[in-house]
Each structure stands twice: as C-alpha cells, then as structure tokens.
Amino acid sequence: MTSPQSLSDFVHQAVLPHLAAGAVYRSVPFVDTGGRFWRGTCPFHADDRASCPMYVDWVTLRWSCLEVCRKGGQSFLAFLNKGRFPQPGSGELRAALHLAADLAGLPQAHVPEITAEDELRAIQDERVASLLETFFLQARLAIHAEPASPGPCASAPARAWLVDQGFDPASLGDLPIGLFVEGEAVRRGLLAAGFTVEEIEASALAADPRLVGRLVGPIRDRWGRIRSFWARHPDDRPPKFLFKGQWKEEVGLFGLDAALHPAAGERGDLIVVERLLDALLLQSRGLRNVAAVGGPPRELGKRRWQRLWGLGVRRLILAFDPAAHGSDGILAALESAFRVRHTVEEVEEYVLLPKSLRGYSSLAELTRAKGLAALQAILDTEPVHAYSFKASSILDRHRTGRGWTDAGRHAAWKEAIEFYVSQGRHAVGDLDRHFVPAIVAGLARTWDAFQPLPGFQSEPEPPERPVDDSGETGVVQPGPSAPKRPAETCPVHRCGSSVCFCFD
C-alpha cells in the first residue's frame, strides 16, 4: 500500500517541481502572468459567465474560482480532472497522476500504486488544504476591498502601511499577504466556498479575536504546503507577531517555497534575512532566492540548519540586520551550524558583514534606497566565508586593545586548533582556504610555529554525532523528510491536528 505521506510526497516533491503553470493551465486565457498570482478566466462554466476571474499561484499551482465554481486553492489535480478533485473508486486520481507525470516529463512507471485508503486520505488532505488556501485567498481579496458604504475602510490603513514599508502600490495584489477583517466575515466566506460549519469550527481560523485588523499570510514548507501562518498588526499592537504553532524547525526558513522553486530560475546562493516581511519585500523586488529566519539570528539553531541541508541547500549568505545584533548575532547563528557541520558535506556558508549594508538598517532598506542592482553587486562581491568570519571572531576575542600578549596569542591558537579539529575531515579544504590563512595572518605566526597542545592528535578521529535535547541524533538524512503526524487527530478531518490548525 502507498502510505498517505508517500503519495503526498510524490505529488509535491516528485511531480510539482517539474510542472510549469503554463503547461498545466494552457486552456486558461490568462490576462496577467506578471506576478505570483496569475489571473485569467475560468474555463469550467458557461459562456455567459466567462468573465469570472480565476487565479493560479504559479509556485503551488493551486487555482481558485470563488465567484462561480465556489472553489478556492484547488490542487492542480482537480484542474486536470475537469475542475473536480478525483473521487474514490472512479480511477480519476490515478488518471490525473499519470497525466501530471506526463506533463512533468516523468516515466509513467514512477506513478505509485494507489489503494482505496490512499484515495480517501488524499480527499481528506485536499479538503483541509483547500480550506486554508481559501482563507488566505479571501484575506488577500479583503485587503483590496472598498467599503460598501461611506465611512472608515479597514483595508486602506493596511495598504498604506505596506506601501510605507516599501512595497510597490501597483503590486500589492500580487503579495501573499491578506487582511483579517473580522471572524464572522471569515465564516461567511468559507461557508460560501462550500465548507461546512463543522470544518470551519475545527479549523479555528475565525476563532481568535486577536487576529482582527491584522495582516496575515501563510507559512509554507519548501514544497508549498501551508504549515502555519503569521499575523501582524499595522499599528504594532502587541504581540507584534502571532504565529500558529511551532513551524520553524519543520519548515527551516520562511519563503523557501518561492526561493527554492525551480520556476524561479537560477537562484545561486540562498540569502537569509531576519524578518518575514523583508523576505517578502525582496522577493517582490525580484530577488527570489531570499528567505527569513522569522526572528533573531540565534533562532537559526542546529535543527534548522540540518533541515536546510536536508532540503538540498548547499550555499547561503547570512545578511542579518547590523544594528540589533551585529557580529554577535551572526556568530550565534554560525555556531549552531558549526556544531553539526560534520554531518553533511559540500556546504558553504557566507556572511554579509554589517559594514556592507552602507549604514542601512537592513537588506530591505538598502534595496529600497539603492535598488536591486546595487544590492546584487554587493552580494556578488562582498560576502565573507563563514570560516574567515569565525577566525576573525577568535582573534578579536583574545587580542587586547594594545595588541597581542603571549597568553592571548597562545589562547587564540589553542581555540583555533580545537575548532579546526571539530569540523571534521571533509571540511579541511575550506578550513585551509579560509580559516587557516586568517589565523596565521592575525597571529603573525606560521601554523607550525606553535607546539602541539598536550594530548592533541594531528590525525583526530571524527567527532561523535551530537545528541540534542530530545535524545535524537542530529544527523542529516538524505533528502527532505516529512514531519511526523501528532498523536491527536482532528475529529472532523481525521488528520493530524497540526496540519489543519484544529488546536492552539
């Protein structure tokens, strides 16, 4: 039997990355394909209603036609099945998967066998996914809604705030950002889209009064599946950010669905910033290969590094805000990577030093002031290798304001040697290129001039695999691994409650 997760993995990890929106939706007459959300007319209803708008997210390949079809955030499999998600026992799911595999250029033999249980689970998962997608689509539409009667418009201040943050007023409709107006409006919208009262209540999407008036947006995994969401009030009403559940270790970084998507083109290094909205701003300006920690640099812990490496990230640049954390914040994030660096080969981390931001408070502010071309020139020439940065931090820690003392020089050398050994044999090449020269130059001594420390082995054994607080080894498994489903399940959807947001 094909497990539910392996069927989902086949769709999202094997098929979806190789599909192009233009190929799947070639029968749709699009009028706007300039941004993330393509707009066209829906092909599934009569000619007298052909002007009904249809939206397609080119990253997730999900489509929506709320006005007539009453469908939001539908899977591309539903589109390939004439607008309806494949039904159990009909053979439609297998036919849609074979058609998708053909469009993706995959051998038909790669399509897994599907059981009746797989079909039921696929429908349940799709029902939950489409409810979440519909929620965020309606929130996106709400931010552009004009008031039905004279008086204050809740969406106008939200739009003004986004423009003040540097977003292009003409491109606001293409942002994955919406507005939560009030809970009753959310319920009505989801009911109108065909969801039941029980499903809406189980999702709890309309139940939290703190969401009223906040900007909201989905947090997706690398494959585009919604795993959480964020909410922020334009007036900085506390708490500044609300998140649904614990998403950071599971997802890795915010924005990877767009940053690592093959359709984004040649992406080069992954650029890592602190704030979610900075990542969205930079992506909207054309720098697609950017993702965010969603907090201070120290939150980029070793599990999140391992998640990134497991997703295939091999080169990245840390570009954190200089004023709030400076070099200490950069080093805190890198130390987590260094502790588990020996678990993966052929990875490189680089750092954009605070001085490279030319006095601006963040990468986003620099881009707003100088433009994307100026930012790209800095990213192409100024990042420093993480091992060079580590070497500088060791030297700075042990060198006094008046220069070197014998004790300080020996302590720096001792720390350098111990760090060199801790990184494992496969890092020797990078260490010799970036770490050793910086240490040698800083100490004004050759690497071999110092006497070995007592008990130091010139050919050390690789360090033991670290054990984290949960007792699980922090070893990167080959390829992305899906999170385990929690023990409790949603009473309506019978799915993992962390997937359908049935609990806080």
Side-chain angles (χ1 to χ4, degrees):
M1 181 188 77
T2 301
S3 69
Q5 187 60 53
S6 64
L7 178 58
S8 176
D9 284 349
F10 174 74
V11 172
H12 291 93
Q13 300 178 22
V15 177
L16 186 60
H18 301 286
L19 287 176
V24 175
Y25 296 97
R26 58 180 178 269
S27 63
V28 177
F30 286 107
V31 297
D32 183 4
T33 58
R36 172 161 180 163
F37 300 99
W38 293 10
R39 183 168 59 87
T41 54
C42 182
F44 293 127
H45 28 79
D47 292 341
D48 61 338
R49 293 185 290 188
S51 62
C52 175
M54 177 179 181
Y55 299 93
V56 173
D57 182 340
W58 69 259
V59 176
T60 65
L61 292 191
R62 288 188 170 273
W63 61 278
S64 303
C65 174
L66 290 178
E67 291 188 15
V68 178
C69 293
R70 295 175 60 195
K71 293 179 179 179
Q74 299 290 296
S75 167
F76 67 90
L77 294 173
F79 185 87
L80 296 178
N81 193 49
K82 300 179 180 179
R84 183 185 71 166
F85 194 80
Q87 298 301 298
S90 65
E92 294 173 339
L93 180 57
R94 182 167 183 80
L97 287 173
H98 277 282
L99 178 55
D102 185 59
L103 291 172
L106 298 176
Q108 294 295 314
H110 287 191
V111 178
E113 293 297 325
I114 303 170
T115 68
E117 184 178 347
D118 292 335
E119 291 182 319
L120 289 173
R121 170 57 77 170
I123 288 180
Q124 291 171 344
D125 288 348
E126 175 59 21
R127 189 71 176 171
V128 173
S130 62
L131 185 150
L132 296 173
E133 297 284 354
T134 301
F135 168 76
F136 288 111
L137 171 61
Q138 292 178 337
R140 279 204 312 113
L141 296 176
I143 204 171
H144 304 287
E146 297 300 331
S149 59
C153 176
S155 60
R159 293 196 300 267
W161 186 85
L162 288 172
V163 172
D164 188 57
Q165 299 305 303
F167 290 96
D168 182 358
S171 303
L172 293 183
D174 197 51
L175 298 175
I177 299 176
L179 178 67
F180 190 103
V181 180
E182 49 94 14
E184 187 54 39
V186 171
R187 292 186 185 92
R188 290 196 304 268
L190 293 175
L191 283 170
F195 297 99
T196 66
V197 172
E198 291 79 12
E199 288 174 321
I200 297 169
E201 294 303 316
S203 74
L205 290 173
D208 194 336
R210 296 177 300 172
L211 294 177
V212 174
R214 287 179 178 264
L215 296 166
V216 295
I219 296 174
R220 302 178 183 272
D221 65 13
R222 186 261 177 263
W223 314 106
R225 293 171 290 199
I226 297 176
R227 297 307 192 191
S228 179
F229 68 83
W230 60 267
R232 187 197 194 284
H233 203 283
D235 295 335
D236 287 341
R237 186 176 300 171
K240 188 173 183 179
F241 269 94
L242 292 172
F243 294 106
K244 181 63 179 181
Q246 302 298 318
W247 59 272
K248 294 181 179 180
E249 290 184 358
E250 175 187 344
V251 173
L253 294 173
F254 170 82
L256 291 179
D257 56 315
L260 301 184
H261 197 287
E266 184 62 33
R267 60 178 182 267
D269 298 325
L270 178 67
I271 314 301
V272 182
V273 297
E274 292 182 36
R275 292 190 288 266
L276 276 63
L277 288 171
D278 282 359
L280 290 175
L281 174 63
L282 291 166
Q283 288 183 353
S284 73
R285 294 289 184 104
L287 189 70
R288 295 201 181 276
N289 55 318
V290 61
V293 176
R298 57 178 171 76
E299 291 190 4
L300 187 55
K302 55 186 181 181
R303 285 194 176 187
R304 298 180 75 178
W305 281 104
Q306 290 173 315
R307 184 63 176 155
L308 292 175
W309 294 333
L311 291 171
V313 174
R314 289 296 178 265
R315 287 173 57 92
L316 55 76
I317 299 174
L318 302 183
F320 297 141
D321 301 350
H325 308 287
S327 297
D328 290 342
I330 297 172
L331 187 60
L334 287 177
E335 291 291 2
S336 295
F338 294 151
R339 291 188 188 101
V340 289
R341 182 71 154 70
H342 63 276
T343 64
V344 64
E345 298 184 13
E346 298 181 355
V347 296
E348 289 186 284
E349 304 89 13
Y350 288 84
V351 171
L352 197 64
L353 298 177
K355 65 180 182 180
S356 294
L357 270 65
R358 310 296 197 267
Y360 292 100
S361 64
S362 67
L363 215 61
E365 184 180 333
L366 185 151
T367 306
R368 291 196 297 268
K370 298 296 185 180
L372 187 61
L375 170 63
Q376 194 62 62
I378 291 173
L379 292 173
D380 289 342
T381 59
E382 298 191 23
V384 174
H385 196 279
Y387 282 153
S388 295
F389 185 84
K390 174 64 175 179
S392 296
S393 72
I394 291 175
L395 296 172
D396 291 343
R397 182 162 47 253
H398 295 287
R399 183 171 43 214
T400 70
R402 301 175 63 180
W404 286 109
T405 64
D406 288 342
R409 182 176 278 115
H410 191 83
W413 170 80
K414 176 179 182 295
E415 183 178 346
I417 291 292
E418 291 173 344
F419 176 77
Y420 187 101
V421 172
S422 74
Q423 295 303 282
R425 297 179 187 278
H426 61 259
V428 166
D430 283 340
L431 288 164
D432 288 347
R433 281 189 295 271
H434 303 288
F435 182 75
V436 173
I439 291 293
V440 168
L443 293 177
R445 298 286 180 87
T446 63
W447 191 253
D448 298 327
F450 292 94
Q451 294 298 317
L453 297 174
F456 172 71
Q457 300 176 357
S458 60
E459 292 292 334
E461 293 297 321
E464 295 182 0
R465 294 174 178 174
V467 178
D468 57 35
D469 295 337
S470 67
E472 299 174 349
T473 58
V475 180
V476 176
Q477 300 298 328
S481 58
K484 296 179 180 178
R485 292 183 180 273
E488 57 264 1
T489 59
C490 161
V492 175
H493 308 122
R494 301 298 177 191
C495 62
S497 53
S498 64
V499 177
C500 70
F501 304 114
C502 303
F503 70 107
D504 286 319

